[in-house]
Amino acid sequence: MAAVRQLVQRAAQLQQEIVDSGKGGASPKEFYKRNHRWSQGLLSGAKAVAIGCQALMTAADQVVTGKGKFEEVIVSSREIAASSMQLVMASRVKAERGSEKLRNLNETAKTISTLTGTVVATAENCRDKVATANTLDFSKLSLHHTKLMEMETLVKVLETEKQLEVERSRLSELRKHHYKLAGEIEGWDQEVGASAELWEQDMINALKNH
């Protein structure tokens, strides 16, 4: 969480630097109105990081109590890393190439990537160990019971394949809806002004509330 908070703070600092160096004689409100899609993209990225953090903490707690799945930890960790890079890429669009604040943001994103990578590797290792421990011993099964279990397993395979197909379709529709919402949030359909102070506060609030 400390690294994520630092990421949000550094993104806000970089954005302020961009506004100060690029707005010319325009007011902050005018600058944000002209660059609304870009500024809202940063806010969207910050919120996505915050949501990923909350999901990771919830998933980790559930795994510890035996109620969760390692896959939930893995997905949440990867989402945090991806959202962090989204935030960096959005910031890089208007930042000066030699900006120290951009370098700081990149370093924090790399730290988050390393940390989440460690979490993913640990979760995968634990998952594999649990799967190995739960491997059944078929050596004492009779021919009759072996055949019954074979048929039961085949039924489960078919059910799982069908469920996988349904979930993939659901994932595709969710992603389409996410892109649609992101487009609306990032100002594809509207133009509003904002200030750097409000943007930074929104990002901090997003981190606290999600």
Side-chain angles (χ1 to χ4, degrees):
M1 284 298 292
V4 172
R5 289 182 185 278
Q6 186 180 66
L7 181 81
V8 173
Q9 291 167 356
R10 287 184 168 179
Q13 292 167 3
L14 176 59
Q15 192 200 27
Q16 182 62 62
E17 178 182 79
I18 293 170
V19 173
D20 291 341
S21 64
K23 69 184 181 185
S27 67
K29 183 175 181 179
E30 291 171 338
F31 178 89
Y32 279 98
K33 186 174 183 179
R34 290 200 306 265
N35 299 277
H36 176 66
R37 180 173 174 180
W38 167 74
S39 61
Q40 287 300 308
L42 296 185
L43 178 57
S44 176
K47 287 182 176 179
V49 173
I51 292 171
C53 284
Q54 184 59 54
L56 176 59
M57 289 188 292
T58 300
D61 287 341
Q62 290 180 339
V63 167
V64 170
T65 58
K67 299 178 181 179
K69 300 177 181 179
F70 288 109
E71 287 78 7
E72 293 173 344
V73 173
I74 294 170
V75 169
S76 299
S77 299
R78 288 175 175 168
E79 181 64 25
I80 292 172
S83 298
S84 297
M85 289 310 301
Q86 175 191 343
L87 192 57
V88 172
M89 294 304 294
S91 300
R92 190 178 295 171
V93 171
K94 291 184 178 294
E96 294 292 335
R97 182 174 299 180
S99 170
E100 181 179 353
K101 288 183 171 58
L102 177 59
R103 287 198 299 271
N104 291 339
L105 184 64
N106 271 314
E107 289 175 2
T108 304
K110 288 179 180 178
T111 298
I112 290 175
S113 179
T114 299
L115 292 173
T116 53
T118 300
V119 172
V120 169
T122 301
E124 289 177 337
N125 184 47
C126 292
R127 179 190 60 186
D128 293 343
K129 287 183 178 179
V130 170
T132 300
N134 292 333
T135 300
L136 296 176
D137 180 10
F138 300 125
S139 61
K140 297 181 181 180
L141 290 178
S142 66
L143 176 62
H144 176 69
H145 283 99
T146 299
K147 188 60 179 179
L148 285 178
M149 289 191 67
E150 180 184 343
M151 294 175 65
E152 290 173 357
T153 301
L154 180 57
V155 170
K156 290 181 180 179
V157 167
L158 293 175
E159 290 176 343
T160 301
E161 288 177 344
K162 180 60 179 178
Q163 185 62 31
L164 180 60
E165 182 181 339
V166 171
E167 291 300 328
R168 280 177 172 164
S169 177
R170 181 169 179 263
L171 177 60
S172 176
E173 292 302 316
L174 283 170
R175 283 176 173 167
K176 289 178 183 178
H177 187 58
H178 172 261
Y179 295 146
K180 178 178 181 296
L181 291 177
E184 293 173 355
I185 291 173
E186 292 176 14
W188 298 345
D189 299 320
Q190 59 180 345
E191 287 190 355
V192 296
S195 68
E197 291 80 5
L198 286 176
W199 184 89
E200 179 175 358
Q201 189 59 50
D202 281 342
M203 289 206 300
I204 298 299
N205 289 338
L207 188 59
K208 291 179 179 178
N209 296 331
H210 291 282

PDB file of all heavy atoms in Angstrom, residues 10 14 17 88 92 95-110:
ATOM      1  N   ARG A  10       3.039  10.772  -6.603  1.00  0.00           N
ATOM      2  CA  ARG A  10       4.004  11.178  -7.628  1.00  0.00           C
ATOM      3  C   ARG A  10       3.321  11.471  -8.960  1.00  0.00           C
ATOM      4  O   ARG A  10       3.769  12.340  -9.715  1.00  0.00           O
ATOM      5  CB  ARG A  10       5.079  10.099  -7.785  1.00  0.00           C
ATOM      6  CG  ARG A  10       6.045  10.074  -6.617  1.00  0.00           C
ATOM      7  CD  ARG A  10       7.177   9.093  -6.797  1.00  0.00           C
ATOM      8  NE  ARG A  10       8.214   9.320  -5.792  1.00  0.00           N
ATOM      9  CZ  ARG A  10       9.327   8.602  -5.680  1.00  0.00           C
ATOM     10  NH1 ARG A  10       9.552   7.596  -6.524  1.00  0.00           N
ATOM     11  NH2 ARG A  10      10.213   8.885  -4.745  1.00  0.00           N
ATOM     12  N   LEU A  14       3.617  15.027 -10.839  1.00  0.00           N
ATOM     13  CA  LEU A  14       4.007  15.133 -12.243  1.00  0.00           C
ATOM     14  C   LEU A  14       2.959  15.894 -13.033  1.00  0.00           C
ATOM     15  O   LEU A  14       3.283  16.728 -13.882  1.00  0.00           O
ATOM     16  CB  LEU A  14       4.202  13.738 -12.843  1.00  0.00           C
ATOM     17  CG  LEU A  14       4.512  13.692 -14.341  1.00  0.00           C
ATOM     18  CD1 LEU A  14       5.789  14.460 -14.657  1.00  0.00           C
ATOM     19  CD2 LEU A  14       4.629  12.244 -14.819  1.00  0.00           C
ATOM     20  N   GLU A  17       3.360  19.521 -12.512  1.00  0.00           N
ATOM     21  CA  GLU A  17       4.508  20.014 -13.270  1.00  0.00           C
ATOM     22  C   GLU A  17       4.134  20.225 -14.738  1.00  0.00           C
ATOM     23  O   GLU A  17       4.530  21.220 -15.357  1.00  0.00           O
ATOM     24  CB  GLU A  17       5.662  19.020 -13.168  1.00  0.00           C
ATOM     25  CG  GLU A  17       6.900  19.416 -13.957  1.00  0.00           C
ATOM     26  CD  GLU A  17       8.003  18.369 -13.853  1.00  0.00           C
ATOM     27  OE1 GLU A  17       7.908  17.345 -14.565  1.00  0.00           O
ATOM     28  OE2 GLU A  17       8.939  18.575 -13.062  1.00  0.00           O
ATOM     29  N   VAL A  88       1.397   5.431 -15.591  1.00  0.00           N
ATOM     30  CA  VAL A  88       2.677   5.951 -16.080  1.00  0.00           C
ATOM     31  C   VAL A  88       2.569   6.357 -17.545  1.00  0.00           C
ATOM     32  O   VAL A  88       3.027   7.434 -17.944  1.00  0.00           O
ATOM     33  CB  VAL A  88       3.793   4.902 -15.905  1.00  0.00           C
ATOM     34  CG1 VAL A  88       5.075   5.370 -16.592  1.00  0.00           C
ATOM     35  CG2 VAL A  88       4.059   4.650 -14.429  1.00  0.00           C
ATOM     36  N   ARG A  92       3.113   9.998 -19.208  1.00  0.00           N
ATOM     37  CA  ARG A  92       4.229  10.191 -20.135  1.00  0.00           C
ATOM     38  C   ARG A  92       3.813  10.957 -21.392  1.00  0.00           C
ATOM     39  O   ARG A  92       4.651  11.575 -22.053  1.00  0.00           O
ATOM     40  CB  ARG A  92       4.802   8.827 -20.515  1.00  0.00           C
ATOM     41  CG  ARG A  92       6.111   8.878 -21.274  1.00  0.00           C
ATOM     42  CD  ARG A  92       6.614   7.477 -21.545  1.00  0.00           C
ATOM     43  NE  ARG A  92       6.959   6.784 -20.314  1.00  0.00           N
ATOM     44  CZ  ARG A  92       7.263   5.492 -20.260  1.00  0.00           C
ATOM     45  NH1 ARG A  92       7.237   4.759 -21.355  1.00  0.00           N
ATOM     46  NH2 ARG A  92       7.578   4.937 -19.101  1.00  0.00           N
ATOM     47  N   ALA A  95       4.429  14.663 -20.433  1.00  0.00           N
ATOM     48  CA  ALA A  95       5.574  15.013 -19.588  1.00  0.00           C
ATOM     49  C   ALA A  95       6.818  15.286 -20.434  1.00  0.00           C
ATOM     50  O   ALA A  95       6.978  14.744 -21.529  1.00  0.00           O
ATOM     51  CB  ALA A  95       5.856  13.883 -18.601  1.00  0.00           C
ATOM     52  N   GLU A  96       7.693  16.134 -19.906  1.00  0.00           N
ATOM     53  CA  GLU A  96       8.984  16.374 -20.554  1.00  0.00           C
ATOM     54  C   GLU A  96       9.837  15.115 -20.441  1.00  0.00           C
ATOM     55  O   GLU A  96       9.830  14.438 -19.412  1.00  0.00           O
ATOM     56  CB  GLU A  96       9.702  17.544 -19.883  1.00  0.00           C
ATOM     57  CG  GLU A  96       9.009  18.889 -20.050  1.00  0.00           C
ATOM     58  CD  GLU A  96       9.037  19.377 -21.489  1.00  0.00           C
ATOM     59  OE1 GLU A  96       9.963  18.958 -22.226  1.00  0.00           O
ATOM     60  OE2 GLU A  96       8.147  20.152 -21.878  1.00  0.00           O
ATOM     61  N   ARG A  97      10.589  14.813 -21.495  1.00  0.00           N
ATOM     62  CA  ARG A  97      11.363  13.574 -21.520  1.00  0.00           C
ATOM     63  C   ARG A  97      12.352  13.488 -20.359  1.00  0.00           C
ATOM     64  O   ARG A  97      12.574  12.426 -19.799  1.00  0.00           O
ATOM     65  CB  ARG A  97      12.108  13.462 -22.850  1.00  0.00           C
ATOM     66  CG  ARG A  97      12.909  12.175 -22.993  1.00  0.00           C
ATOM     67  CD  ARG A  97      13.497  12.045 -24.378  1.00  0.00           C
ATOM     68  NE  ARG A  97      12.458  12.000 -25.405  1.00  0.00           N
ATOM     69  CZ  ARG A  97      12.726  11.893 -26.708  1.00  0.00           C
ATOM     70  NH1 ARG A  97      13.979  11.849 -27.138  1.00  0.00           N
ATOM     71  NH2 ARG A  97      11.734  11.851 -27.581  1.00  0.00           N
ATOM     72  N   GLY A  98      12.951  14.597 -19.982  1.00  0.00           N
ATOM     73  CA  GLY A  98      13.951  14.577 -18.920  1.00  0.00           C
ATOM     74  C   GLY A  98      13.397  14.891 -17.546  1.00  0.00           C
ATOM     75  O   GLY A  98      14.169  15.175 -16.618  1.00  0.00           O
ATOM     76  N   SER A  99      12.092  14.823 -17.381  1.00  0.00           N
ATOM     77  CA  SER A  99      11.465  15.191 -16.111  1.00  0.00           C
ATOM     78  C   SER A  99      11.883  14.254 -14.978  1.00  0.00           C
ATOM     79  O   SER A  99      11.772  13.031 -15.086  1.00  0.00           O
ATOM     80  CB  SER A  99       9.940  15.160 -16.251  1.00  0.00           C
ATOM     81  OG  SER A  99       9.319  15.288 -14.996  1.00  0.00           O
ATOM     82  N   GLU A 100      12.356  14.845 -13.891  1.00  0.00           N
ATOM     83  CA  GLU A 100      12.730  14.045 -12.716  1.00  0.00           C
ATOM     84  C   GLU A 100      11.494  13.409 -12.088  1.00  0.00           C
ATOM     85  O   GLU A 100      11.543  12.274 -11.603  1.00  0.00           O
ATOM     86  CB  GLU A 100      13.441  14.925 -11.692  1.00  0.00           C
ATOM     87  CG  GLU A 100      13.886  14.158 -10.447  1.00  0.00           C
ATOM     88  CD  GLU A 100      14.607  15.038  -9.446  1.00  0.00           C
ATOM     89  OE1 GLU A 100      14.881  16.216  -9.771  1.00  0.00           O
ATOM     90  OE2 GLU A 100      14.891  14.554  -8.331  1.00  0.00           O
ATOM     91  N   LYS A 101      10.393  14.133 -12.113  1.00  0.00           N
ATOM     92  CA  LYS A 101       9.156  13.598 -11.533  1.00  0.00           C
ATOM     93  C   LYS A 101       8.651  12.400 -12.341  1.00  0.00           C
ATOM     94  O   LYS A 101       8.079  11.459 -11.779  1.00  0.00           O
ATOM     95  CB  LYS A 101       8.092  14.694 -11.457  1.00  0.00           C
ATOM     96  CG  LYS A 101       8.376  15.736 -10.379  1.00  0.00           C
ATOM     97  CD  LYS A 101       7.266  16.762 -10.299  1.00  0.00           C
ATOM     98  CE  LYS A 101       7.452  17.672  -9.082  1.00  0.00           C
ATOM     99  NZ  LYS A 101       8.736  18.377  -9.085  1.00  0.00           N
ATOM    100  N   LEU A 102       8.870  12.428 -13.651  1.00  0.00           N
ATOM    101  CA  LEU A 102       8.495  11.280 -14.473  1.00  0.00           C
ATOM    102  C   LEU A 102       9.376  10.078 -14.134  1.00  0.00           C
ATOM    103  O   LEU A 102       8.887   8.947 -14.050  1.00  0.00           O
ATOM    104  CB  LEU A 102       8.623  11.622 -15.957  1.00  0.00           C
ATOM    105  CG  LEU A 102       8.319  10.476 -16.937  1.00  0.00           C
ATOM    106  CD1 LEU A 102       6.898   9.965 -16.746  1.00  0.00           C
ATOM    107  CD2 LEU A 102       8.537  10.933 -18.379  1.00  0.00           C
ATOM    108  N   ARG A 103      10.663  10.326 -13.932  1.00  0.00           N
ATOM    109  CA  ARG A 103      11.565   9.236 -13.537  1.00  0.00           C
ATOM    110  C   ARG A 103      11.144   8.644 -12.194  1.00  0.00           C
ATOM    111  O   ARG A 103      11.162   7.420 -12.007  1.00  0.00           O
ATOM    112  CB  ARG A 103      13.009   9.747 -13.460  1.00  0.00           C
ATOM    113  CG  ARG A 103      13.652  10.015 -14.821  1.00  0.00           C
ATOM    114  CD  ARG A 103      15.169  10.093 -14.699  1.00  0.00           C
ATOM    115  NE  ARG A 103      15.576  11.176 -13.813  1.00  0.00           N
ATOM    116  CZ  ARG A 103      15.796  12.419 -14.224  1.00  0.00           C
ATOM    117  NH1 ARG A 103      15.634  12.738 -15.503  1.00  0.00           N
ATOM    118  NH2 ARG A 103      16.178  13.348 -13.372  1.00  0.00           N
ATOM    119  N   ASN A 104      10.772   9.514 -11.265  1.00  0.00           N
ATOM    120  CA  ASN A 104      10.326   9.033  -9.952  1.00  0.00           C
ATOM    121  C   ASN A 104       9.075   8.164 -10.077  1.00  0.00           C
ATOM    122  O   ASN A 104       8.946   7.127  -9.408  1.00  0.00           O
ATOM    123  CB  ASN A 104      10.035  10.218  -9.030  1.00  0.00           C
ATOM    124  CG  ASN A 104      11.283  10.975  -8.635  1.00  0.00           C
ATOM    125  OD1 ASN A 104      12.393  10.438  -8.698  1.00  0.00           O
ATOM    126  ND2 ASN A 104      11.129  12.225  -8.233  1.00  0.00           N
ATOM    127  N   LEU A 105       8.165   8.600 -10.938  1.00  0.00           N
ATOM    128  CA  LEU A 105       6.935   7.835 -11.149  1.00  0.00           C
ATOM    129  C   LEU A 105       7.245   6.472 -11.760  1.00  0.00           C
ATOM    130  O   LEU A 105       6.684   5.449 -11.356  1.00  0.00           O
ATOM    131  CB  LEU A 105       5.990   8.622 -12.058  1.00  0.00           C
ATOM    132  CG  LEU A 105       4.606   7.996 -12.295  1.00  0.00           C
ATOM    133  CD1 LEU A 105       3.819   7.932 -10.991  1.00  0.00           C
ATOM    134  CD2 LEU A 105       3.836   8.797 -13.338  1.00  0.00           C
ATOM    135  N   ASN A 106       8.158   6.462 -12.721  1.00  0.00           N
ATOM    136  CA  ASN A 106       8.567   5.202 -13.348  1.00  0.00           C
ATOM    137  C   ASN A 106       9.185   4.246 -12.333  1.00  0.00           C
ATOM    138  O   ASN A 106       8.916   3.039 -12.346  1.00  0.00           O
ATOM    139  CB  ASN A 106       9.577   5.471 -14.464  1.00  0.00           C
ATOM    140  CG  ASN A 106       8.908   5.723 -15.802  1.00  0.00           C
ATOM    141  OD1 ASN A 106       8.001   5.003 -16.194  1.00  0.00           O
ATOM    142  ND2 ASN A 106       9.353   6.747 -16.495  1.00  0.00           N
ATOM    143  N   GLU A 107      10.020   4.779 -11.460  1.00  0.00           N
ATOM    144  CA  GLU A 107      10.675   3.951 -10.446  1.00  0.00           C
ATOM    145  C   GLU A 107       9.657   3.323  -9.507  1.00  0.00           C
ATOM    146  O   GLU A 107       9.760   2.145  -9.148  1.00  0.00           O
ATOM    147  CB  GLU A 107      11.676   4.797  -9.656  1.00  0.00           C
ATOM    148  CG  GLU A 107      12.909   5.198 -10.451  1.00  0.00           C
ATOM    149  CD  GLU A 107      13.818   6.147  -9.678  1.00  0.00           C
ATOM    150  OE1 GLU A 107      13.484   6.450  -8.504  1.00  0.00           O
ATOM    151  OE2 GLU A 107      14.835   6.587 -10.236  1.00  0.00           O
ATOM    152  N   THR A 108       8.670   4.117  -9.109  1.00  0.00           N
ATOM    153  CA  THR A 108       7.639   3.587  -8.217  1.00  0.00           C
ATOM    154  C   THR A 108       6.824   2.504  -8.909  1.00  0.00           C
ATOM    155  O   THR A 108       6.494   1.477  -8.306  1.00  0.00           O
ATOM    156  CB  THR A 108       6.704   4.718  -7.750  1.00  0.00           C
ATOM    157  OG1 THR A 108       7.475   5.749  -7.136  1.00  0.00           O
ATOM    158  CG2 THR A 108       5.690   4.192  -6.740  1.00  0.00           C
ATOM    159  N   ALA A 109       6.500   2.722 -10.183  1.00  0.00           N
ATOM    160  CA  ALA A 109       5.741   1.721 -10.940  1.00  0.00           C
ATOM    161  C   ALA A 109       6.536   0.426 -11.072  1.00  0.00           C
ATOM    162  O   ALA A 109       5.977  -0.677 -10.981  1.00  0.00           O
ATOM    163  CB  ALA A 109       5.385   2.265 -12.321  1.00  0.00           C
ATOM    164  N   LYS A 110       7.846   0.541 -11.271  1.00  0.00           N
ATOM    165  CA  LYS A 110       8.694  -0.650 -11.369  1.00  0.00           C
ATOM    166  C   LYS A 110       8.738  -1.393 -10.037  1.00  0.00           C
ATOM    167  O   LYS A 110       8.746  -2.628  -9.997  1.00  0.00           O
ATOM    168  CB  LYS A 110      10.103  -0.255 -11.800  1.00  0.00           C
ATOM    169  CG  LYS A 110      10.200   0.185 -13.256  1.00  0.00           C
ATOM    170  CD  LYS A 110      11.621   0.595 -13.618  1.00  0.00           C
ATOM    171  CE  LYS A 110      11.715   1.044 -15.068  1.00  0.00           C
ATOM    172  NZ  LYS A 110      13.090   1.489 -15.425  1.00  0.00           N
TER     173      LYS A 110
END
